[in-house]
């Protein structure tokens, strides 16, 4: 009986050690999981802050763009600096093109900061390009967009080109139904 008792005690000791080790492993895994969860939450916050900073930078750039265009539109001498169009234009037409550029850039920035989906951007652009001066501006700057290959702006420019082609070929006066807005981001 004494041997049985010693064997049982050894088994209980080994079992206790084993259970202690298992409990230690579980505690270590739980602590590691808590650390990983904390790191993941911190990374998510940092990514969110980076997104906010990027949108703030875009907004600042948009404001600077508008200020520069405003100065050029208000001063014919500065307007000449922005004579980047494929065809010669009058000072009045150049100022109109610069304003069309400001309208388009504003719409594009509104999309980039997340205030418009691509579908909403498309619908606003479809309305904006009903204006013949905005269309003239678009065609007069086609050569500038050709250098943007592989960028989001090039993709959006191609989307606008396709929309204008569809509008030109449409046999309806109901321009708001022409073209198929993109349904995914």
């Amino acid at each position: 009986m004494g041997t049985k008792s010693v064997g049982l005690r050894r088994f209980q000791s080994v079992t206790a050690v084993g259970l202690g080790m298992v409990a230690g492993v579980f505690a270590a895994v739980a602590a590691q999981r808590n650390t990983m969860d904390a790191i993941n939450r911190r990374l998510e916050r940092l990514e969110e802050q980076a997104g906010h900073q990027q949108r703030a930078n875009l907004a600042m750039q948009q404001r600077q763009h508008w200020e520069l265009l405003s100065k050029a539109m208000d001063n014919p001498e500065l307007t000449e600096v922005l004579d980047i169009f494929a065809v010669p234009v009058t000072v009045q037409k150049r100022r109109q093109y610069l304003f069309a550029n400001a309208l388009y850039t504003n719409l594009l920035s509104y999309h980039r900061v997340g205030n418009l989906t691509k579908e909403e951007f498309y619908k606003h652009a479809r309305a904006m390009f009903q204006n013949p001066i905005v269309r003239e501006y678009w065609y007069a700057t086609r050569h500038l967009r050709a250098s943007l290959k592989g960028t989001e702006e090039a993709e959006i420019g191609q989307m606008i080109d396709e929309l204008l082609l569809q509008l030109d070929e449409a046999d309806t006066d109901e321009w708001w139904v022409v073209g198929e807005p993109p349904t995914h981001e």
Side-chain angles (χ1 to χ4, degrees):
M1 187 104 170
T3 357
K4 205 175 201 188
S5 182
V6 170
L8 184 58
R9 275 185 283 186
R10 279 191 189 152
F11 178 72
Q12 288 172 338
S13 295
V14 169
T15 302
V17 168
L19 287 174
M21 288 176 58
V22 168
V25 168
F26 279 134
V29 167
Q32 188 177 26
R33 180 153 181 101
N34 286 340
T35 301
M36 291 301 290
D37 287 346
I39 289 171
N40 284 335
R41 284 190 303 273
R42 179 153 171 83
L43 282 173
E44 287 171 4
R45 281 194 305 273
L46 288 173
E47 288 172 353
E48 186 178 320
Q49 288 172 350
H52 290 308
Q53 185 61 49
Q54 183 180 19
R55 286 188 292 282
N57 290 345
L58 279 169
M60 176 61 83
Q61 191 277 328
Q62 172 64 21
R63 181 166 179 74
Q64 290 172 341
H65 180 259
W66 173 249
E67 288 174 5
L68 289 170
L69 286 180
S70 293
K71 286 180 181 182
M73 286 184 286
D74 291 342
N75 183 333
E77 291 174 0
L78 295 179
T79 302
E80 289 180 29
V81 173
L82 294 175
D83 188 1
I84 55 173
F85 308 107
V87 294
V89 295
T90 65
V91 171
Q92 177 186 355
K93 184 65 74 173
R94 193 176 307 130
R95 291 170 76 180
Q96 290 173 332
Y97 283 3
L98 293 177
F99 190 73
N101 173 269
L103 289 174
Y104 175 74
T105 304
N106 183 59
L107 184 63
L108 182 62
S109 295
Y110 211 56
H111 165 65
R112 284 182 171 164
V113 298
N115 291 340
L116 288 177
T117 65
K118 194 176 273 187
E119 179 181 3
E120 292 167 326
F121 171 89
Y122 182 92
K123 290 176 180 179
H124 284 281
R126 182 169 50 195
M128 180 188 304
F129 282 95
Q130 293 307 302
N131 183 292
I133 295 171
V134 175
R135 279 194 190 201
E136 285 176 30
Y137 152 76
W138 190 256
Y139 296 133
T141 57
R142 179 176 282 143
H143 67 286
L144 298 173
R145 286 186 303 285
S147 67
L148 300 175
K149 290 182 173 135
T151 65
E152 178 192 27
E153 192 168 347
E155 177 187 325
I156 289 175
Q158 180 63 38
M159 181 180 72
I160 298 296
D161 287 341
E162 290 170 11
L163 169 64
L164 292 177
L165 184 62
Q166 291 171 2
L167 286 167
D168 288 343
E169 293 175 349
D171 58 355
T172 179
D173 291 333
E174 297 174 342
W175 57 265
W176 55 92
V177 298
V178 174
E180 192 63 38
T183 56
H184 62 281
E185 283 301 302

